[in-house]
Amino acid sequence: MTHRSARASASRARRFTSPLAAGAAVAATTGLLAMGMTAPAFGAVDKTVDDAVFSWSVNDESTGGAYFGGCNFLVAGDAGDTGMARIWTANDAGSVYQVDDDKNFAVGNTTVKKSSGKLSNFDDRCKTGDGTLVNNKTNAEAENNHTGDHVEIANGTGTIDADSDNASIQWEGSWSFAYYGGMTYWTISDPKLEVKDGKGTITGTYSGYGTDMDDLSKWNKLDPVDGEIVQIQQGSVDVTDEGFEFTPDFLGVETDTAGRNPQAPKTDENQSWWGAMPQDWIDFNVATGQDSYWYTTAGASTSIQPRKKANPVTVGYTAQAPEPNVSTTHSVKSASAEDGLTVNVTGDGYNNLPNSSLGSPAAGAYAAIVDSDLESKDVTAGNAAAAQYVKTADIQDGKLNVDVNAKTADLAEDKEYDVLTWVAHGFATGDAELYRESIELTDEQKEALFPSDEDEAEAEAEADGAADAAEGEADDKGAADAAEGEADGAEADETGAADASEGEADNKGATDAAEGEADDKGAADAAEADDKGAADAAEGEADDKGAADAAEADDKGAADGGESDSEGAADGDDPDGSSDGDEERPAAPEVADQTVGADRLVKGKATPNSEVNLAWTPVVENETDENAGTQLSTFAASAEADDSVPAEDNVTVTADDEGNFSTKAPSAKGTYAYSAIATVEGVPSDPAEFTVTVNEDEAADDDANGSSDGAEGGSDSAGATDGSEDGAEADASGSDNGAEADASGSDNGAGSGAEASSSSGSGGSSSGGSGGGNLPRTGTDLITLPIAAGLILLGAASVMFARMRKR
């Protein structure tokens, strides 16, 4: 047998099993998500901002009526040198203070605005937003005692993390404080906000000119000093994707600066405004002559003291997720016929992925080995040679590192394969496809994966036509020696040899033989005709057909032997034709056929703490429990034909620490065909099939029916009796010849009977495996809840249908 024919055989098996089993796995996982058991989302990734606007009026004193010079006010930009302590005039525009073409306080990213939103200028610097003058109003309780102007610096850049209340934003811009009409002034430049877990600071650069309130002859330019402008320790910043607002620390803050006036003691009267700006701020203003204006000194509520407390800072922006920057590589880790092909896939940037193809946020990634001829958008769990779901928890610092293993049986020597990664949960299409590159195998790796000595053995077996299913070798005619000798129907006596090849005396014997073959071993049981059947043949069960039956038996035996041998070769190493499956799959649930009472409690065992999805469908009336498998097979075939969902309902439960689980059966009396699939960490088990009978009033009758079923299941001994009776009716002249025919051909005849039974029997079950990949095509937004539930039911029925097809 060549590699190609071996692969064709394996491919046929996969076509019947993998897509259906994969459907069950996807449906089961999807069902869990639809019920609220969502996969974890990625940890927060910092978003970028490039349009942040810093807005602050500092405090009411900075725009309030002053004892001299009219008012205190704010201007945009760095203030120039007046050469002495004096009041500013309109002629100082452009030299002492900055203005735009419309003579507004605006320069670069910085502007000063009225409370009305209008830009402020020199002419209305001492007016409120509605035009009311505040000149010389120093009573904090007086109406319109400050303008409320505020500084805005635009185009701040940085990052924010709203989930963690983190922010880092830098602005380029300056503003100046002009007190007493400009007789004393200084500047803050380039503020930078740093917030972590809601706490932080704003730092910047202080600069300006120094004088002395008691000696105005003093004037000097001060060296710039970096320091804290704002502290955010008492309150907390709630960072969002649009911005935030907070009040800087002032209230309750104590300062130790020995300025012109000391900080007043805290009292019941002043506690609502008592405090101080950051120490760096006050220390710098000792040199400007303004130090006592930035902390509470002596004074009542009708003085300027309440106007010193800090006003809120507002920061607004549009946060944007950074562009994904994902890089991926792969390497062949190992290749062997025994262990298959293992490819290691690594990558960076997997903590910042685009949305899935379904539009939902990334919930991890998939890595798969796929046929090079298969388009990425068409890749599923069923047609990938191997696939691995990488959970969020397994991606640390954006680094992906996963081994993907494809079994040799799922690969073809004459095909090329690629590594494909994409965003979970969804499909590999558009931006969700992250990486696809071919897998290059060396000659040594190819030889290890597909050894040539196996080629020769398989080619020889294929040339002969069939493998030796038992002990003998296939001959050129394709007739296998199922036991030790060859059938020779020609040896049957012309006057009435027994139909030994079929192990039957007459039509009734054939019926009995068919009923006796209802167990999982199928054709194998029929081939092992019981001792009683051999005795019947030996007693001479010939009928009137005589030699014609014997000749027919010989031809049929040869054909059946060849067919049986061919099926044996296709079934593979497992006697029941099942697939070994993935060694990492959890064990299938252990659930027996059961009859439930008034509590309608269906019970079973599975892997401890696993999620168990149970789907069921009613067996139609006039069907017995023993035919539930046939009923479900019929529903499954119908589902494949018209895409309908054959199950009536489903439910997902969680096994306890010992693996026990239970759920309520349907309330309507009757028999139901069930399928149970256990899922552990996104990987589903093979399904377990069983029946549940709901019959509260007649539980005892169910037990009796079970005994009756058992008796019926043993009908092959009854068939032997019938055969013996029919043999007694045979022509006496043919009894010796019938015995001789049995002695030389009973084994082959039994094989023929097995084939006949296999093609006509309707009961029984099969243990064929499901195969398929372990890729959990999931996602909270994968599909709407009703469709997700339907997928579960379709997946469960599909697995059972696959097993029926395998049978």
Side-chain angles (χ1 to χ4, degrees):
M1 182 184 295
T2 65
H3 275 312
R4 183 169 299 174
S5 62
R7 286 193 299 272
S9 177
S11 176
R12 285 194 298 271
R14 285 197 297 273
R15 282 200 300 270
F16 282 104
T17 59
S18 294
L20 297 175
V26 172
T29 306
T30 303
L32 296 179
L33 290 171
M35 295 176 190
M37 302 180 64
T38 59
F42 270 109
V45 176
D46 286 352
K47 295 182 178 180
T48 61
V49 298
D50 58 12
D51 61 350
V53 177
F54 172 90
S55 179
W56 194 23
S57 62
V58 186
N59 60 14
D60 292 347
E61 179 63 12
S62 294
T63 64
Y67 294 111
F68 185 79
C71 68
N72 305 326
F73 57 96
L74 305 174
V75 297
D78 297 338
D81 190 355
T82 59
M84 59 181 296
R86 66 171 176 83
I87 297 175
W88 293 359
T89 69
N91 293 330
D92 291 326
S95 59
V96 175
Y97 55 88
Q98 304 294 315
V99 294
D100 63 11
D101 293 341
D102 295 323
K103 297 186 178 182
N104 295 314
F105 293 149
V107 56
N109 293 321
T110 308
T111 57
V112 175
K113 292 184 177 180
K114 314 295 290 183
S115 58
S116 62
K118 176 186 175 182
L119 291 176
S120 181
N121 55 46
F122 189 79
D123 292 336
D124 61 12
R125 68 191 185 285
C126 295
K127 295 179 181 179
T128 63
D130 61 6
T132 303
L133 279 172
V134 301
N135 287 18
N136 305 317
K137 294 181 179 179
T138 58
N139 181 352
E141 294 183 348
E143 187 177 359
N144 296 320
N145 67 83
H146 63 281
T147 67
D149 287 5
H150 62 276
V151 61
E152 284 190 3
I153 306 179
N155 301 319
T157 60
T159 60
I160 65 100
D161 176 358
D163 292 336
S164 301
D165 286 332
N166 296 340
S168 177
I169 304 175
Q170 174 74 66
W171 286 270
E172 293 183 1
S174 305
W175 81 95
S176 299
F177 299 85
Y179 270 44
Y180 289 109
M183 293 190 68
T184 171
Y185 59 92
W186 57 284
T187 301
I188 291 179
S189 301
D190 303 333
K192 182 177 183 180
L193 171 74
E194 292 285 357
V195 176
K196 185 173 180 60
D197 298 327
K199 308 291 184 181
T201 61
I202 296 179
T203 57
T205 301
Y206 297 102
S207 62
Y209 299 86
T211 187
D212 189 329
M213 188 178 296
D214 297 318
D215 185 359
L216 297 181
S217 65
K218 293 183 177 179
W219 187 259
N220 60 295
K221 184 175 182 178
L222 304 176
D223 293 331
V225 175
D226 294 333
E228 289 184 352
I229 297 170
V230 167
Q231 284 193 337
I232 316 164
Q233 301 300 324
Q234 295 178 350
S236 182
V237 178
D238 181 15
V239 178
T240 73
D241 285 343
E242 292 78 32
F244 49 86
E245 181 179 283
F246 65 92
T247 299
D249 294 353
F250 180 92
L251 294 177
V253 175
E254 184 176 355
T255 182
D256 59 3
T257 299
R260 182 174 184 275
N261 299 302
Q263 186 176 27
K266 186 176 182 180
T267 66
D268 291 341
E269 181 185 4
N270 67 18
Q271 63 178 350
S272 62
W273 69 78
W274 187 91
M277 297 297 278
Q279 194 65 50
D280 290 346
W281 183 304
I282 295 172
D283 288 345
F284 180 78
N285 274 282
V286 170
T288 67
Q290 290 185 19
D291 59 289
S292 61
Y293 281 86
W294 303 110
Y295 56 85
T296 305
T297 58
S301 62
T302 55
S303 68
I304 67 170
Q305 298 304 317
R307 299 195 312 200
K308 294 180 180 179
K309 67 180 181 181
N311 288 337
V313 173
T314 300
V315 177
Y317 47 74
T318 302
Q320 298 176 337
E323 288 295 324
N325 184 20
V326 180
S327 62
T328 312
T329 60
H330 75 271
S331 61
V332 176
K333 192 171 184 178
S334 64
S336 70
E338 179 180 1
D339 298 326
L341 174 64
T342 300
V343 178
N344 177 249
V345 183
T346 60
D348 287 317
Y350 275 76
N351 60 335
N352 179 30
L353 297 176
N355 287 343
S356 74
S357 64
L358 303 175
S360 58
Y366 298 127
I369 297 174
V370 301
D371 187 335
S372 295
D373 295 332
L374 185 65
E375 291 189 39
S376 298
K377 65 181 179 61
D378 296 328
V379 172
T380 67
N383 58 30
Q388 185 68 46
Y389 170 46
V390 186
K391 299 180 294 185
T392 302
D394 296 330
I395 300 176
Q396 301 295 328
D397 298 326
K399 296 187 180 300
L400 176 78
N401 192 330
V402 62
D403 289 341
V404 184
N405 174 260
K407 297 188 179 301
T408 305
D410 294 326
L411 299 170
E413 185 179 7
D414 59 352
K415 283 188 172 294
E416 300 293 332
Y417 292 91
D418 297 341
V419 169
L420 173 67
T421 69
W422 70 99
V423 179
H425 299 290
F427 301 92
T429 182
D431 291 339
E433 180 180 350
L434 303 174
Y435 174 81
R436 182 164 186 169
E437 291 293 338
S438 62
I439 301 172
E440 303 293 338
L441 296 178
T442 65
D443 292 341
E444 291 78 9
Q445 289 169 336
K446 291 180 181 178
E447 176 65 22
L449 197 57
F450 303 103
S452 57
D453 57 343
E454 292 185 6
D455 280 355
E456 296 173 359
E458 292 177 3
E460 181 180 354
E462 187 177 61
D464 291 338
D468 183 8
E471 298 176 2
E473 294 181 354
D475 57 19
D476 294 338
K477 297 176 182 179
D481 182 7
E484 296 178 359
E486 296 181 351
D488 186 3
E491 293 180 9
D493 189 88
E494 293 180 0
T495 60
D499 187 7
S501 65
E502 295 182 1
E504 300 169 334
D506 56 13
N507 290 340
K508 184 175 182 181
T511 302
D512 292 340
E515 292 180 355
E517 296 171 352
D519 61 13
D520 289 341
K521 296 179 181 177
D525 286 348
E528 299 173 2
D530 64 301
D531 294 339
K532 215 166 188 182
D536 288 342
E539 290 175 9
E541 300 172 347
D543 59 13
D544 292 340
K545 296 178 183 178
D549 286 349
E552 179 182 350
D554 182 60
D555 293 340
K556 185 176 179 64
D560 291 343
E563 184 174 348
S564 174
D565 179 59
S566 176
E567 289 183 1
D571 285 344
D573 294 336
D574 293 344
D576 63 354
S578 66
S579 168
D580 289 337
D582 192 330
E583 294 179 358
E584 297 181 357
R585 286 179 178 273
E590 299 177 6
V591 196
D593 294 348
Q594 52 196 283
T595 298
V596 298
D599 60 358
R600 308 199 329 275
L601 206 57
V602 178
K603 300 179 180 179
K605 288 186 71 87
T607 302
N609 302 311
S610 62
E611 299 298 327
V612 184
N613 181 264
L614 300 102
W616 63 86
T617 183
V619 178
V620 299
E621 294 183 4
N622 301 323
E623 290 281 1
T624 62
D625 288 353
E626 66 182 292
N627 288 327
T630 302
Q631 179 70 44
L632 189 56
S633 176
T634 301
F635 284 157
S638 173
E640 185 182 61
D642 61 12
D643 294 331
S644 63
V645 179
E648 179 183 79
D649 208 341
N650 77 96
V651 70
T652 297
V653 298
T654 303
D656 62 21
D657 292 341
E658 297 181 356
N660 297 308
F661 66 86
S662 64
T663 186
K664 290 286 188 178
S667 59
K669 294 181 181 181
T671 300
Y672 299 82
Y674 267 72
S675 173
I677 298 175
T679 301
V680 178
E681 295 184 354
V683 180
S685 71
D686 286 333
E689 300 169 12
F690 59 98
T691 61
V692 173
T693 300
V694 181
N695 194 351
E696 298 177 17
D697 300 331
E698 299 178 13
D701 292 343
D702 291 339
D703 294 338
N705 290 338
S707 299
S708 174
D709 292 343
E712 183 178 350
S715 63
D716 100 311
S717 61
T721 302
D722 290 342
S724 178
E725 292 174 358
D726 293 337
E729 295 174 2
D731 188 350
S733 64
S735 62
D736 292 339
N737 289 335
E740 179 180 353
D742 179 75
S744 63
S746 60
D747 289 336
N748 286 338
S752 178
E755 180 63 20
S757 172
S758 176
S759 64
S760 62
S762 62
S765 62
S766 170
S767 58
S770 62
N774 65 347
L775 173 62
R777 174 84 63 214
T778 62
T780 307
D781 300 321
L782 179 63
I783 201 163
T784 59
L785 178 59
I787 298 177
L791 283 174
I792 297 175
L793 304 179
L794 179 57
S798 297
V799 172
M800 288 180 263
F801 179 51
R803 297 181 63 179
M804 291 298 182
R805 293 283 298 274
K806 180 71 175 178
R807 177 74 171 83

